[in-house]
């Protein structure tokens, strides 16, 4: 029964089903080129393929190693990269992404499918920064204990495509983006470090919170940042989020006659400490099914 509740939550945010449903409700006419990036990229691209049919002429699929779930037709390029630590595939994916956008015909519509994990899976580095530096950065961030919003704010400052900088490579053409959120408050500027979405504000200084080597890279990246401020239009929509999964699990458990306790406070911070809080709640709580997000 518990597996049924869990599966109902997963089904509610299934990338393939959510993209298929949304593109059937609001189709994209004409020729379409698609970029799918993230751990759910293969599922999302599969949904787009079903919805768009022959209108989908070309796709670039960037996902975690082992998650491509092929086979894919010849018009689909597949690049697998590292997660949670980036690897050479992440840098190869970043360069290929820029090449694709530079060569896309003017009359095609661009569709981006973005899900969690894009921060690690695709990257274009500031001049002088190498893969070893990027891996050192991400290892430090993952061990920092920082919330994901703060981590991605720093990642954006050390990227040539994140924090909305990828918009500079779209040659002014409009873009449609469908996103699966894995972050608090479902902020598009935080999902995948905001490839198409400039943050309202980023951390501009961390005088005591980062080591000297990282502060040096932040200073170098800031000197190289030459963003274009006339941005193309991005029609963005979050098609799957945590609350949908929790609502589906609640409905499934309640339909089977169980008392459901949906905990309003989000889980965050250190995993071991969160586990202790969960255990304490279950020991002291009334019978039933407890749901956290």
């Amino acid at each position: 029964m518990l597996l049924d509740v869990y599966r109902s939550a997963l089904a509610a945010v299934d990338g393939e089903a959510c993209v298929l449903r949304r593109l059937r409700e609001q189709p994209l006419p004409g020729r379409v080129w698609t970029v799918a990036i993230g751990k759910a990229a293969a599922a999302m691209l599969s949904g787009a393929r079903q919805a768009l049919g022959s209108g989908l002429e070309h796709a670039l699929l960037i996902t975690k190693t082992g998650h491509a779930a092929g086979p894919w037709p010849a018009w689909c390029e597949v690049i697998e990269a590292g997660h949670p630590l980036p690897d050479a595939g992440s840098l190869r994916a970043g360069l290929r992404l820029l090449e694709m956008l530079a060569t896309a015909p003017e009359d095609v519509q661009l569709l981006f499918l973005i899900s969690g994990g894009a921060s690690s899976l695709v990257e274009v580095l500031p001049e002088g920064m190498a893969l070893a530096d990027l891996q050192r950065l991400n290892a430090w961030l993952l061990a920092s204990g920082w919330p994901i919003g703060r981590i991605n704010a720093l990642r954006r400052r050390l990227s040539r495509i994140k924090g909305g900088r990828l918009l500079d490579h779209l040659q002014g053409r409009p873009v449609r983006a469908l996103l699966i959120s894995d972050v608090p408050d479902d902020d598009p500027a935080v999902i995948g470090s905001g490839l198409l979405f400039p943050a309202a504000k980023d951390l501009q200084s961390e005088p005591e919170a980062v080591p000297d080597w990282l502060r040096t890279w932040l200073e170098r990246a800031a000197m190289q940042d030459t963003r274009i401020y006339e941005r193309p239009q991005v029609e963005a929509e979050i098609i799957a989020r945590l609350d949908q999964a929790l609502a589906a699990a609640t409905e499934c458990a309640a339909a089977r006659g169980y008392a459901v306790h949906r905990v309003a406070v989000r889980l965050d911070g250190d995993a071991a400490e969160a586990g202790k809080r969960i255990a304490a709640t279950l020991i002291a709580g009334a019978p039933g099914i407890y749901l956290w997000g």
Side-chain angles (χ1 to χ4, degrees):
M1 193 284 301
L2 286 177
L3 283 177
D4 290 338
V5 174
Y6 183 62
R7 288 171 181 145
S8 69
L10 294 181
V13 293
D14 177 74
E16 180 177 348
C18 289
V19 169
L20 175 60
R21 179 170 56 250
R22 195 68 192 103
L23 289 179
R24 283 181 172 172
E25 293 170 348
Q26 194 175 29
L28 274 171
R31 305 167 62 196
V32 180
W33 282 29
T34 297
V35 177
I37 308 175
K39 289 180 288 183
M44 297 179 78
L45 182 57
S46 179
R49 183 181 177 187
Q50 295 175 59
L52 299 174
S54 60
L56 180 52
E57 290 190 354
H58 184 74
L60 175 60
L61 170 62
I62 301 170
T63 193
K64 182 177 179 177
T65 300
H67 283 56
W72 293 94
W75 49 258
C76 179
E77 301 179 68
V78 178
I79 299 178
E80 294 186 320
H83 181 278
L85 290 178
D87 60 10
S90 309
L91 301 184
R92 184 168 65 253
L95 292 178
R96 183 63 194 119
L97 173 59
L98 297 188
E99 291 171 353
M100 174 185 167
L101 295 177
T103 58
E106 292 184 2
D107 61 337
V108 301
Q109 297 198 54
L110 294 176
L111 171 66
F112 277 77
L113 307 171
I114 301 174
S115 57
S119 293
S120 173
L121 294 170
V122 60
E123 186 59 279
V124 177
L125 296 174
E127 183 177 349
M129 195 172 188
L131 174 61
D133 301 308
L134 178 63
Q135 291 176 330
R136 184 184 186 188
L137 164 70
N138 279 272
W140 187 87
L141 288 172
L142 291 173
S144 68
W146 287 5
I148 187 63
R150 192 179 187 191
I151 287 174
N152 281 357
L154 195 143
R155 280 171 166 163
R156 288 191 292 265
R157 294 170 58 195
L158 287 170
S159 173
R160 303 306 298 270
I161 57 174
K162 297 184 173 76
R165 294 175 180 86
L166 188 62
L167 293 173
D168 297 343
H169 299 272
L170 296 179
Q171 306 172 54
R173 70 175 73 202
V175 174
R176 186 170 179 194
L178 302 180
L179 301 95
I180 294 179
S181 172
D182 65 336
V183 301
D185 302 320
D186 303 323
D187 184 354
V190 179
I191 301 169
S193 299
L195 290 166
L196 299 171
F197 307 95
K201 62 177 180 178
D202 271 349
L203 300 176
Q204 294 304 313
S205 63
E206 296 287 346
E208 299 177 358
V210 301
D212 290 342
W213 61 265
L214 179 48
R215 187 179 301 110
T216 298
W217 278 119
L218 290 170
E219 293 170 353
R220 292 180 183 177
M223 293 174 61
Q224 298 177 33
D225 194 359
T226 56
R227 283 187 277 181
I228 301 170
Y229 292 99
E230 291 186 7
R231 303 285 189 173
Q233 178 183 356
V234 178
E235 180 187 348
E237 181 180 2
I238 295 176
I239 58 171
R241 50 170 54 87
L242 173 60
D243 284 338
Q244 291 171 232
L246 289 170
T250 299
E251 182 179 355
C252 179
R256 285 160 174 74
Y258 289 89
V260 180
H261 308 277
R262 181 169 164 179
V263 182
V265 178
R266 299 292 203 215
L267 291 175
D268 62 5
D270 181 80
E273 292 302 317
K276 293 177 182 178
R277 296 197 301 271
I278 289 175
T281 300
L282 294 176
I283 291 171
I289 290 180
Y290 287 74
L291 296 174
W292 283 264

